[in-house]
Amino acid sequence: QVRLVEAGGGSVQAGSTLILSCAASGYSRRFGSMAWFRQASGKEREGVARINEASGILVIDSVKDRFSISQDSAKNIVYLRMNNLQPEDSAMWYCAARRDLMGNWTYTYWGQGTRVTVSS
């Protein structure tokens, strides 16, 4: 059974940096793609960054100057470094994974989420 566990969230001041991590278990091969999503209160879940073995890295325009995604593919661990956090980054942050290499925001496996709260 695949399991994704996020860590690294918390309550921080604007301008701070957080690094989220997501460790996968229950799958012995490398995932084709892993990603980070966020869901702010009252809003729909939004894909923020993904890393794909075939197509590389994609970070959405609104955060690409502040956020970066990286991966330890041998261990199926994905990271999201978030610099200069702003109150609008406050959300529940989710890790997701899929086995294939399709380059879209549809994922099979999901973590439980880690909360990020940014105060001004």
Side-chain angles (χ1 to χ4, degrees):
Q1 182 177 355
V2 174
R3 185 174 180 228
L4 303 179
V5 179
E6 302 96 337
S11 297
V12 297
Q13 296 284 323
S16 299
T17 293
L18 283 176
I19 300 175
L20 305 183
S21 64
C22 170
S25 60
Y27 186 57
S28 60
R29 302 178 65 181
R30 181 186 302 179
F31 285 113
S33 181
M34 298 186 77
W36 286 98
F37 288 73
R38 65 184 175 187
Q39 187 167 21
S41 179
K43 295 187 178 180
E44 294 191 355
R45 188 168 57 193
E46 172 188 34
V48 175
R50 67 182 189 232
I51 188 164
N52 183 296
E53 290 297 315
S55 57
I57 289 173
L58 185 149
V59 180
I60 61 173
D61 287 345
S62 61
V63 301
K64 67 180 180 180
D65 291 336
R66 299 186 292 122
F67 295 0
S68 60
I69 186 171
S70 60
Q71 184 181 27
D72 181 342
S73 57
K75 298 180 180 179
N76 274 338
I77 299 174
V78 65
Y79 303 94
L80 184 70
R81 182 182 180 92
M82 306 187 292
N83 295 329
N84 191 23
L85 282 160
Q86 299 299 311
E88 57 265 32
D89 299 318
S90 297
M92 186 68 82
W93 288 78
Y94 297 92
C95 172
R98 59 189 298 166
R99 298 186 183 188
D100 61 56
L101 298 172
M102 294 297 289
N104 57 44
W105 292 107
T106 303
Y107 285 83
T108 308
Y109 306 105
W110 293 86
Q112 293 298 306
T114 185
R115 183 167 296 279
V116 173
T117 303
V118 185
S119 57
S120 59

